Amino acid sequence: MPRQGLILVALLVLGACGDPDSTASPAPTRAGLATNLPFSLVELGPDSGLDFATRSGRGDDGDQIVEVKSTGIGVLDFDGDGLQDVVLVAGSSLERRRRGEPGFGLRLYRNLGGLRFVDVSAAAGLADLDLGWTCAAAAADVDGDGDDDLYVTAWGRNSLLLNEGGRFRLAVGELADPSWGTSSVFHDLDGDGDLDLYLCNYLDFDPATAPRDGVDGQVCRWRGLAVMCGPKGLPPAADRVFENLGGGHFRDASEAWGIAALPPSYGLGVVAGDFDGDGRAELYVANDGMANFHLERDPITGRFEDHALEEGLALSEDGAPQAGMGLDAADLNGDGLDDLICTNFGGEVNDLYLSIAPGFYLESSAPSGLALGARETLGWGVLVRDLDLDGRLDVFVANGHVYAQAARAGTGTDYAQKNLLWLGRPEGRFELVGERGHPGLAVQKVSRGALAADLDEDGDLDLLVCNLNDRPTLIENRLDRVALGRDFLAVRLRRGDGNREGIGARVRLLDRPEAPVLEVRRQYSFQSSGEARLVWGLPAGHAPLRAEVLWPDGRRERFVVRRNRLNLLVAGEGGS
């Protein structure tokens, strides 16, 4: 269909929905009053062992932008025991930097089972590494040797840490980008069977010259209050892309692959995948207060080009840039194509871009119900997963303000905020649920990154959230599958090339056509890195199912998969 025809379709859909802010729909369930909750989310305290408070500046009164972005969180199986371990990005402070002291680096916690963790940073070789002011850690097997490595972004030099049998070695080399790196993503961007790296850079920051309210004529105000300055007024930084050459070596491909031609922007979030189903990797990048990127690679030139504006992904529904923070992608409307969700600043909604045809998206946060409650919060990490195993994908968003002044009376918001959960409902709608029955949603902190992982190996997905100048929030998913009549189906992939976990592969359940098509990805949300496991919720039953894997190289294989267990699907061992 010509693009003009798609635009007409979009206008007709909007007309059918009416004004997005007044669309006729069932009355939403208000936070705190939801009933008949199918499961319970419960916060576990520091007794879990995750007791380290990350640092990002001097505390709650930070007056420089580098102090408010916070640090990231990730999971990886660093020791190969099958359990997901936790990496906390520890951050630093301006005082330490001025004194020439190292940052706090990383903290690695081994999973002991039963949602218990122990700090093994020293044994893993991380305790004595000077990694600067660390921001995020992306996990993947980048050298193809069978274990998870880490790429650490920072305000300053980034670092690649290669895992050598459970102990990490700093690999000095091509990935030591000196910019302020935020989120990054490992994905096979050129289709050669190994994992390349896309790096979001934020802005050029020097605390000695950065603008401050009331200094040199600077006026930095929010709702009439003096606040820290930025990002506007500070020069945005250019993103970069690195090609994997094998053996833990990379080359800067930013010029050759077209990334250097993009305008420098305030990059914060990135997610990769084959969103439109054409067999080629794409990138969606969230930029803070600037137009977002949707990068697609030209099969002839090999260069990435930005199509976000023409596809409806660059701006808000009103045509304005928003403060894009975190991202995730999943098929929410059941058409086999990934939809995209982007979290934004307070006063803005979190955008849900539904694919209505390959290469065309319609902003649908209000008609879907995801706008409810979002405008009063400032969203960061976001994940789209089936948390209650009812067969429909849910949306979780971590919230927290950047201005400590938001805690003052009369601002209409708060500095520390509750995280939000919308449960998937029929016909593509979402219901905002509250803290009744979900004490884990009552936690009010200055949250940033978020991820979902089966940390206790019970089949459902638990939640991890990192918080500004605080310990992480660990939320256990307590789901009685027997009482609810639900099964889970979990899948991990294995290949023999440099993309060991099959990142970018898409899996569908042939016997459950209503189940979402899921794609393997490790990095999503904001400064967060998850596991490569795929999880579906199913009605209880006994019969095995058939899963079809579309591998990144275009080959298709079918496997028999069994309920209520983790199925390992190895390339070349399935059927056609």
Side-chain angles (χ1 to χ4, degrees):
M1 180 183 296
R3 189 169 298 277
Q4 295 86 347
L6 293 175
I7 294 174
L8 177 59
V9 170
L11 293 174
L12 290 173
V13 171
L14 282 174
C17 293
D19 183 348
D21 290 330
S22 61
T23 181
S25 61
T29 301
R30 293 193 305 163
L33 298 180
T35 58
N36 300 319
L37 292 173
F39 69 111
S40 182
L41 297 175
V42 179
E43 184 198 10
L44 303 183
D47 289 344
S48 68
L50 298 178
D51 55 359
F52 182 82
T54 58
R55 287 286 302 278
S56 186
R58 64 190 182 192
D60 291 345
D61 57 349
D63 62 356
Q64 294 275 26
I65 192 169
V66 73
E67 299 179 285
V68 304
K69 293 302 177 187
S70 190
T71 55
I73 196 165
V75 295
L76 71 162
D77 182 9
F78 89 99
D79 54 2
D81 66 354
L83 299 176
Q84 293 298 305
D85 311 300
V86 176
V87 58
L88 303 180
V89 185
S92 189
S93 68
L94 289 172
E95 291 77 9
R96 294 180 66 89
R97 193 178 180 95
R98 280 193 289 265
R99 294 194 299 263
E101 299 175 359
F104 296 110
L106 304 179
R107 293 293 186 277
L108 180 64
Y109 288 81
R110 184 183 180 192
N111 189 338
L112 302 177
L115 294 173
R116 301 283 296 179
F117 300 85
V118 62
D119 190 337
V120 294
S121 306
L126 299 176
D128 297 327
L129 293 179
D130 181 5
L131 303 177
W133 189 312
T134 50
C135 296
D141 181 9
V142 303
D143 54 4
D145 67 351
D147 48 30
D148 278 338
D149 310 297
L150 288 170
Y151 181 62
V152 184
T153 61
W155 171 40
R157 184 193 70 247
N158 298 340
S159 304
L160 176 62
L161 304 178
L162 294 179
N163 187 347
E164 298 180 336
R167 188 173 177 86
F168 291 89
R169 173 179 63 85
L170 179 61
V172 178
E174 306 84 359
L175 294 179
D177 184 89
S179 302
W180 177 356
T182 54
S183 298
S184 62
V185 61
F186 283 108
H187 201 89
D188 185 3
L189 298 176
D190 56 358
D192 66 351
D194 54 26
L195 297 176
D196 311 298
L197 177 75
Y198 186 94
L199 169 65
C200 288
N201 283 322
Y202 192 45
L203 51 79
D204 296 331
F205 179 76
D206 182 345
T209 60
R212 292 175 181 245
D213 181 75
V215 178
D216 297 329
Q218 293 293 329
V219 178
C220 303
R221 293 288 190 273
W222 171 79
R223 300 190 178 180
L225 300 172
V227 295
M228 64 88 184
C229 298
K232 292 184 177 179
L234 293 165
D239 293 352
R240 298 175 72 184
V241 66
F242 299 88
E243 181 185 7
N244 193 332
L245 302 178
H249 295 285
F250 292 77
R251 76 172 183 95
D252 188 341
S254 304
E255 184 68 38
W257 290 4
I259 302 304
L262 298 172
S265 300
Y266 302 126
L268 285 180
V270 58
V271 65
D274 181 11
F275 308 138
D276 61 7
D278 66 356
R280 297 191 299 272
E282 305 160 56
L283 294 153
Y284 188 45
V285 181
N287 294 315
D288 187 3
M290 305 179 75
N292 295 337
F293 300 147
H294 182 210
L295 307 177
E296 300 177 80
R297 189 168 187 173
D298 187 292
I300 298 176
T301 66
R303 294 172 63 84
F304 283 91
E305 300 175 348
D306 181 18
H307 295 283
L309 185 62
E310 63 196 80
E311 294 178 347
L313 292 171
L315 306 168
S316 72
E317 188 178 22
D318 298 327
Q322 298 192 102
M325 308 289 188
L327 299 171
D328 202 3
D331 179 13
L332 292 172
N333 59 2
D335 63 356
L337 304 175
D338 275 351
D339 310 296
L340 298 163
I341 186 167
C342 178
T343 58
N344 293 305
F345 202 81
E348 303 170 343
V349 299
N350 298 322
D351 287 308
L352 170 61
Y353 298 104
L354 285 179
S355 63
I356 59 174
F360 194 84
Y361 297 83
L362 183 66
E363 206 292 319
S364 305
S365 56
S368 70
L370 285 178
L372 181 65
R375 199 178 295 273
E376 294 76 31
T377 57
L378 196 162
W380 293 89
V382 57
L383 54 95
V384 183
R385 301 291 187 276
D386 186 358
L387 296 178
D388 58 358
L389 298 181
D390 69 346
R392 292 184 287 266
L393 296 174
D394 313 306
V395 176
F396 177 87
V397 174
N399 299 301
H401 220 283
V402 295
Y403 303 135
Q405 294 83 354
R408 298 183 185 179
T411 64
T413 184
D414 208 341
Y415 185 49
Q417 299 178 353
K418 295 178 181 179
N419 301 324
L420 297 178
L421 172 66
W422 292 265
L423 293 179
R425 296 303 187 222
E427 299 180 356
R429 291 190 55 82
F430 293 88
E431 177 187 7
L432 178 66
V433 301
E435 60 205 59
R436 177 182 295 177
H438 296 290
L441 298 179
V443 179
Q444 189 159 323
K445 295 187 177 183
V446 187
S447 296
R448 293 296 187 257
L451 61 89
D454 188 0
L455 297 172
D456 52 5
E457 294 292 327
D458 65 351
D460 53 45
L461 295 171
D462 310 296
L463 300 171
L464 269 173
V465 181
C466 62
N467 303 301
L468 182 66
N469 299 312
D470 203 345
R471 65 175 181 84
T473 302
L474 170 58
I475 300 177
E476 180 185 3
N477 186 347
R478 297 181 180 175
L479 181 68
D480 189 341
R481 292 188 290 105
V482 174
L484 294 172
R486 294 177 188 171
D487 290 338
F488 75 89
L489 178 67
V491 163
R492 291 183 69 93
L493 306 185
R494 187 71 72 241
R495 288 160 53 105
D497 59 9
N499 183 2
R500 181 176 59 93
E501 294 182 303
I503 292 174
R506 297 176 66 84
V507 183
R508 66 187 181 107
L509 304 182
L510 297 176
D511 304 296
R512 306 292 301 186
E514 75 282 3
V517 177
L518 300 182
E519 181 166 334
V520 181
R521 56 175 55 93
R522 294 290 298 267
Q523 286 78 46
Y524 58 97
S525 189
F526 168 74
Q527 295 189 164
S528 303
S529 187
E531 62 174 334
R533 177 184 324 216
L534 303 178
V535 176
W536 292 264
L538 303 168
H542 300 285
L545 302 171
R546 294 171 301 152
E548 181 180 77
V549 179
L550 175 60
W551 296 101
D553 59 9
R555 292 182 299 113
R556 295 180 185 269
E557 282 188 283
R558 294 183 175 184
F559 298 83
V560 174
V561 290
R562 300 188 181 279
R563 303 162 181 262
N564 302 323
R565 68 181 66 182
L566 177 60
N567 296 265
L568 180 64
L569 311 184
V570 180
E573 296 185 2
S576 59

